[in-house]
Amino acid sequence: MTERRLFWGLVALLLIPVWSVGYFPTTDGPSHVYNAWILRQYGNVQEYPLFQQYYEIDWRPIPNWLSHAALALLMFPFDPRTAEKLLVSGYVVLLAGAARFLAGSVDLEKRPEKRWLAWLALPLIYNQLLHLGFYGFCLSVGLCLLAVGTWWRHRDRPGPGLAVKLNLLLLLCWFSHIVSLVLALASIGVLWLVTLRGRPFKRHLLHVLILAPQVVLPLWFVQAQGGVTTPAGPGSRGLWLSLLGLRVLYRFGREQVWIGIAVAVLFLVLAALTLVGRKTWREEDGFLIAALLAVVLYFVSPEGIAGGLLMKSRLSLYPWLLLIPWLAPRLGDRGRTAVLAAIGIVTVFQITMLVHWYRLLQPEIREFLAAAEPIEPDSRVLPLVFRRNAASLPVDVLGHALGWVDAEKGLVDWGNYEAMTGHFPVRFRPETGLSDIYALEAHPGELNIRAYKSRTDYVFTWRMPPGSRMNRVLGQQFKPLAEQGPARVYRRKGRKS
């Protein structure tokens, strides 16, 4: 009982970074907020007349629907920024609870104290994927663990109840991210194979029938998007260092490298202690095989496939999380207390540093957003962000930060990358004429600004070099309206305010 209270108390502390600042600093988060706001207000033509004119809803069963739909629903009682924080808070609680559920699934009746191993997942919650704003994927990790744990708990009792629960979890997983659905199916497949012996064939056939519907949507998606891959980056040595050092936790400062190494060492020590004295095979060793399979997938996967990127970073979380239910170190009460204390200290240190980093970024985020104030509501804006990283920390928290303003003012943003990918619920209407998202994101100074004049009311620039060619070109097509710090706002010549 005490351990459980301490666990959830630590989870509550993990919510502090989210609510300690006005703006949760991520790369893509503001873009998700903006597009969820479009979903929320799509039928409100009187207040937001441009949304239906330039956007349409993609009702196909594509991934990323869950996070956007959840955000849109939260925006009914709450403002967009609060809704975003509530979604991130839900992710924190979901992943912590899912890890505890999975850890307690093995020998639940004989050793319910195995739930304490879920503490190992707590330092993994604030990872690189969250700080990139990959909300859909983050939610999918917890759903994946819940699906695997549900199958394991009911593996000897397949029936309608399991079919409904498991397919619902896997469907939610699909609507969050395809990678986690594939990992869930692969892990369940491994566990199913290691539990074949000694069980009736009919029971195993039922498991196959229960899971069969889940292959339909992934096959459709890959066929619809195409299987184009992006080659992997670093060599095997770099991949090993990233995996074993938990570099997926790194985003803001070197302290995160220390946290990653400390957590990885703790995992490996507990794994070594689990193997000490082991002479017989146990069914739960299937989780070790599933974790090793995740390692293999991490190494052989491309960096991107079917339009999705950072595959290796996404996959690098799973070997550690799938290892948790396999761990069974014989530590005794004192040993377990020492491990819990170590994890608690690392987690509290991580929380302290995150609050420090988040607050350090706030002044520049507020400066960025305040500079866009002259842009009138119900306008079309072209953002030219020449430096996406903040000056205080070398992280991209400004590249899509205009999304918060877009939502507040009901703007059409030609830098809305989501609306061009086909991976998200909101997309530009075909007749709109898509913007050059690559140039906007990577080389704003080379953009053909003349192609945008007729469909752009305002241009917002951030840290545009004084001698930039774009500075001269903009002066020919647009009129300078306001300048605040490193930001400038231009209005199309001939447009009346």
Side-chain angles (χ1 to χ4, degrees):
M1 183 67 71
T2 302
E3 178 273 322
R4 184 181 66 168
R5 290 176 179 173
L6 288 173
F7 176 84
W8 289 111
L10 198 54
V11 173
L13 290 179
L14 281 165
L15 299 178
I16 291 176
V18 181
W19 297 95
S20 65
V21 291
Y23 296 93
F24 186 65
T26 67
T27 301
D28 291 347
S31 184
H32 300 330
V33 170
Y34 170 45
N35 285 279
W37 187 249
I38 294 173
L39 287 175
R40 161 71 175 87
Q41 300 291 352
Y42 194 71
N44 187 1
V45 181
Q46 283 190 330
E47 290 188 61
Y48 299 93
L50 296 184
F51 286 171
Q52 284 198 20
Q53 184 178 346
Y54 288 95
Y55 293 112
E56 63 182 8
I57 309 301
D58 187 347
W59 294 108
R60 297 178 302 163
I62 54 177
N64 288 309
W65 253 109
L66 181 65
S67 59
H68 282 63
L71 263 177
L73 290 173
L74 287 169
M75 287 174 181
F76 277 90
F78 302 103
D79 63 89
R81 275 195 292 150
T82 302
E84 181 186 20
K85 292 181 181 181
L86 287 169
L87 182 75
V88 176
S89 300
Y91 151 72
V92 171
V93 175
L94 172 64
L95 184 51
R100 193 169 178 85
F101 177 82
L102 181 61
S105 297
V106 177
D107 289 344
L108 181 62
E109 298 176 358
K110 300 177 184 177
R111 296 193 305 241
E113 70 275 8
K114 280 200 70 174
R115 292 189 186 95
W116 72 268
L117 290 162
W119 284 59
L120 290 164
L122 298 184
L124 307 182
I125 290 176
Y126 282 90
N127 53 65
Q128 184 186 99
L129 291 316
L130 175 63
H131 290 126
L132 287 170
F134 294 176
Y135 295 156
F137 174 78
C138 290
L139 291 173
S140 74
V141 177
L143 293 168
C144 173
L145 300 187
L146 287 176
V148 174
T150 297
W151 183 88
W152 182 264
R153 291 183 181 218
H154 301 280
R155 64 192 184 283
D156 287 326
R157 301 182 302 278
L162 175 61
V164 171
K165 285 190 288 188
L166 191 57
N167 277 283
L168 178 59
L169 284 169
L170 291 172
L171 194 61
L172 289 173
C173 199
W174 162 259
F175 281 114
S176 300
H177 204 276
I178 186 174
V179 168
S180 293
L181 174 68
V182 171
L183 260 295
L185 293 174
S187 300
I188 292 172
V190 167
L191 296 172
W192 171 68
L193 288 173
V194 301
T195 57
L196 279 172
R197 187 176 179 182
R199 288 180 171 85
F201 174 77
K202 180 180 178 181
R203 184 176 298 169
H204 292 296
L205 182 60
L206 283 174
H207 283 299
V208 174
L209 294 175
I210 287 171
L211 293 171
Q214 295 303 322
V215 302
V216 176
L217 287 174
L219 290 175
W220 162 78
F221 183 76
V222 172
Q223 186 275 330
Q225 297 294 330
V228 179
T229 61
T230 303
S236 59
R237 183 174 182 273
L239 291 174
W240 275 116
L241 290 174
S242 294
L243 179 63
L244 295 178
L246 270 169
R247 293 292 177 87
V248 71
L249 299 185
Y250 180 79
R251 184 64 174 165
F252 297 109
R254 70 179 69 179
E255 292 85 355
Q256 289 174 301
V257 176
W258 305 340
I259 292 170
I261 293 173
V263 175
V265 167
L266 193 53
F267 261 101
L268 296 175
V269 168
L270 293 176
L273 291 175
T274 300
L275 291 171
V276 171
R278 286 286 300 273
K279 297 180 180 179
T280 59
W281 167 267
R282 299 175 183 175
E283 282 191 341
E284 56 263 35
D285 290 336
F287 285 101
L288 175 61
I289 299 175
L292 293 175
L293 174 62
V295 172
V296 172
L297 292 175
Y298 164 78
F299 277 99
V300 302
S301 72
E303 187 56 40
I305 186 171
L309 297 175
L310 294 175
M311 290 285 292
K312 292 190 181 298
S313 293
R314 300 176 201 268
L315 291 169
S316 66
L317 275 174
Y318 275 106
W320 305 100
L321 292 170
L322 292 172
L323 200 63
I324 290 175
W326 172 76
L327 296 173
R330 297 183 180 183
L331 297 173
D333 291 341
R334 290 185 178 180
R336 185 177 69 172
T337 300
V339 171
L340 294 181
I343 298 173
I345 291 171
V346 169
T347 304
V348 170
F349 174 69
Q350 182 187 48
I351 292 168
T352 304
M353 293 307 303
L354 287 170
V355 171
H356 167 69
W357 288 319
Y358 289 0
R359 289 183 174 176
L360 200 62
L361 291 165
Q362 294 303 298
E364 196 164 357
I365 293 175
R366 287 195 294 266
E367 181 187 20
F368 183 96
L369 299 177
E373 184 60 33
I375 300 174
E376 294 180 345
D378 304 322
S379 303
R380 302 164 299 176
V381 61
L382 176 67
L384 300 177
V385 181
F386 287 80
R387 194 169 85 182
R388 305 165 69 87
N389 286 354
S392 53
L393 287 172
V395 290
D396 178 1
V397 294
L398 301 175
H400 299 137
L402 199 64
W404 284 311
V405 177
D406 296 333
E408 178 186 349
K409 294 176 176 284
L411 306 178
V412 171
D413 188 336
W414 297 119
N416 185 2
Y417 76 95
E418 290 188 23
M420 305 174 203
T421 63
H423 297 163
F424 297 92
V426 174
R427 61 188 180 190
F428 283 118
R429 291 188 175 278
E431 62 271 19
T432 299
L434 302 181
S435 56
D436 187 350
I437 192 62
Y438 177 77
L440 271 174
E441 297 270 338
H443 305 289
E446 300 175 10
L447 194 71
N448 180 12
I449 201 70
R450 292 180 178 85
Y452 286 84
K453 182 182 178 181
S454 62
R455 55 189 176 121
T456 299
D457 303 306
Y458 293 90
V459 176
F460 175 85
T461 70
W462 179 260
R463 297 196 180 277
M464 180 170 60
S468 171
R469 179 192 68 90
M470 183 59 69
N471 193 18
R472 185 183 70 258
V473 173
L474 279 173
Q476 298 171 0
Q477 308 293 327
F478 294 83
K479 179 181 179 181
L481 178 64
E483 182 174 354
Q484 182 174 329
R488 290 183 182 179
V489 176
Y490 296 80
R491 186 166 58 203
R492 189 181 76 243
K493 292 180 178 180
R495 174 183 166 89
K496 297 180 180 180
S497 59

